[in-house]
Amino acid sequence: MNKKIVFSGVQPSGSLTIGNYIGALKNFVELQDEYECYYCIVDLHAVTVPQIPKDLRSHSLDVLSLYLAVGIDPQKSTLFIQSHVPAHAELGWILNTITYMGQLNRMTQFKEKSKKSDENLNAGLFTYPVLMAADILLYQSDFVPVGEDQKQHLELARDLAERFNSRYSDTFVVPEPLIKEFGARIMSLQDPESKMSKSDRDENAFILMLDNKDAIRRKIRRAVTDSLGIVAYSDQQPGLKNLLNIYSVLSDKSVDSIVANYDGKGYGEFKDDLADVVIQALSPIQERYKEYRQDKAFLESIYREGADKAEAFAAKTLRKVYKKIGFIPRI
Ligand code: TYM
């Protein structure tokens, strides 16, 4: 029986936030029993913004340790580092040749990033979504669990798969995004109109997966709400709506039941309880993280085996692609 294939990736470009956890990592764990899962540490993507080499190395192992700490089981899922499998860059090049400039110009994430980093507006940042399509298509992925911010990139991956298939005959599976109804877009705690992001200059805007208890409590207490003073889930109260989403996903309780529980109570009590919920969800992950992160030999064995397995799959797809477009096989 062939299981359907799941692929996703996370950039090792800093510490991960609870946005990354709720929008992505938490869902990775839930999928691994039913699907054949490939979870990648996308270091080739990370270098589209300047990285300090020593920190990049360290962050890659941090992400691998977090993958394990949240409960991804390397016996079930394949965990690997993108730069270990050269087929990603190679297929990325081929896909570049069938991607229209206009399509990449329309990518909102590129537009936002280019506003922020005009001194480093490199070509890699522009073709970033093409490499992402290569990641996904190499593994003939059926499903791609991501947060809401990656939706447009997924549409490009689907489009490129369809374009290649119609030009050269059926080659790629056309992937479907898996975006959850709740938690796919966790917002900044300081500005509930913008996404929670690890690159935010204001530390109070995000909670890191590795933040200690005091930092978590402090940041939640300082989270921007409103002057209505009623715990309710509505677009008129975007700050509270965001906090309720976090509460609901991390406690496994419905938003309605949480709202009912705070009837007549103030934001202070709600925030204190939310801090408890977040701390309870993250503490066991942080404990496991510490153990994995110091076991370098174990981490090495995971990413080595992962790369072997991923490479075998990816090479097969790439051979097929090269043959279809008319490259002479090396024999
Ligand atoms: P990255 O590293 O920015 O984020 C990793 C995952 O976390 C999700 N995410 C969020 N979800 C909810 N709320 C938030 N505030 C939030 N912030 C981040 C992201 O949607 C993502 O799922 N381009 C990708 C990495 C990538 C990839 C791929 C993903 C490269 N190749 C192939 C899937 C398939 C990225 O930059 O994610």
Side-chain angles (χ1 to χ4, degrees):
M1 192 194 69
N2 275 349
K3 284 185 175 175
K4 296 239 180 207
I5 296 173
V6 162
F7 182 95
S8 200
V10 172
Q11 291 194 69
S13 51
S15 309
L16 302 194
T17 70
I18 56 165
N20 297 122
Y21 177 56
I22 295 172
L25 270 74
K26 188 168 184 292
N27 308 323
F28 294 179
V29 184
E30 291 164 12
L31 295 163
Q32 62 182 349
D33 288 318
E34 199 176 331
Y35 302 102
E36 184 180 336
C37 298
Y38 290 82
Y39 296 128
C40 187
I41 297 156
V42 293
D43 52 357
L44 298 175
H45 279 101
V47 294
T48 54
V49 297
Q51 300 288 341
I52 298 164
K54 152 168 111 19
D55 292 349
L56 179 58
R57 269 191 292 275
S58 176
H59 289 146
S60 293
L61 295 181
D62 294 348
V63 174
L64 179 58
S65 306
L66 278 173
Y67 274 168
L68 296 166
V70 298
I72 299 173
D73 179 352
Q75 303 292 333
K76 295 180 186 161
S77 305
T78 304
L79 301 176
F80 71 105
I81 298 173
Q82 190 184 27
S83 63
H84 290 179
V85 182
H88 289 250
E90 293 169 301
L91 181 63
W93 176 257
I94 301 300
L95 295 179
N96 267 321
T97 67
I98 65 162
T99 306
Y100 306 128
M101 298 286 281
Q103 287 186 288
L104 296 181
N105 266 325
R106 282 195 294 277
M107 292 288 147
T108 42
Q109 206 159 75
F110 172 71
K111 286 192 226 167
E112 279 166 21
K113 280 188 186 165
S114 54
K115 262 188 252 156
K116 277 191 221 155
S117 56
D118 40 346
E119 78 281 9
N120 180 46
L121 202 49
N122 63 77
L125 214 48
F126 187 61
T127 59
Y128 177 110
V130 182
L131 178 60
M132 179 163 160
D135 299 340
I136 297 165
L137 302 186
L138 269 179
Y139 299 91
Q140 305 292 8
S141 312
D142 298 282
F143 300 112
V144 184
V146 281
E148 174 78 32
D149 61 335
Q150 300 299 320
K151 196 172 171 192
Q152 201 185 20
H153 293 163
L154 252 297
E155 276 157 21
L156 179 77
R158 289 172 57 83
D159 197 64
L160 294 180
E162 281 165 358
R163 190 170 305 151
F164 192 97
N165 288 349
S166 76
R167 230 175 252 186
Y168 298 104
S169 84
D170 231 11
T171 309
F172 294 121
V173 168
V174 181
E176 298 273 347
L178 288 183
I179 299 174
K180 287 249 166 138
E181 191 186 341
F182 292 102
R185 194 170 172 80
I186 300 297
M187 309 308 280
S188 154
L189 299 183
Q190 289 301 310
D191 170 17
E193 304 295 331
S194 62
K195 191 188 71 169
M196 181 182 284
S197 158
K198 53 196 164 203
S199 59
D200 204 307
R201 266 188 223 129
D202 182 354
E203 273 198 18
N204 288 317
F206 52 77
I207 295 174
L208 298 176
M209 288 181 73
L210 298 175
D211 268 345
N212 65 35
K213 294 185 175 109
D214 290 345
I216 294 172
R217 203 169 285 285
R218 190 183 65 240
K219 289 175 182 185
I220 290 177
R221 278 205 185 123
R222 289 190 189 163
V224 169
T225 48
D226 52 68
S227 54
L228 294 175
I230 307 155
V231 177
Y233 192 77
S234 99
D235 289 335
Q236 275 69 55
Q237 295 170 268
L240 217 63
K241 188 174 177 180
N242 186 41
L243 297 181
L244 278 163
N245 279 332
I246 297 171
Y247 198 132
S248 166
V249 176
L250 294 185
S251 67
D252 242 340
K253 289 186 183 144
S254 72
V255 166
D256 285 349
S257 73
I258 299 165
V259 168
N261 204 20
Y262 291 94
D263 190 23
K265 296 179 188 166
Y267 293 165
E269 194 173 341
F270 169 73
K271 282 179 165 180
D272 269 345
D273 292 350
L274 173 59
D276 289 339
V277 165
V278 175
I279 290 165
Q280 250 180 48
L282 294 183
S283 293
I285 296 173
Q286 295 178 352
E287 290 297 311
R288 288 192 293 267
Y289 168 83
K290 270 188 230 145
E291 285 186 20
Y292 287 124
R293 187 60 183 83
Q294 65 193 10
D295 194 347
K296 260 195 132 175
F298 180 66
L299 295 178
E300 271 169 29
S301 73
I302 300 297
Y303 68 64
R304 197 179 324 119
E305 272 172 44
D308 285 347
K309 196 165 164 225
E311 186 163 41
F313 197 137
K316 207 167 122 200
T317 308
L318 190 69
R319 267 201 301 278
K320 215 162 148 188
V321 168
Y322 276 11
K323 196 166 161 213
K324 293 209 184 188
I325 59 183
F327 289 171
I328 293 177
R330 194 177 140 189
I331 317 281

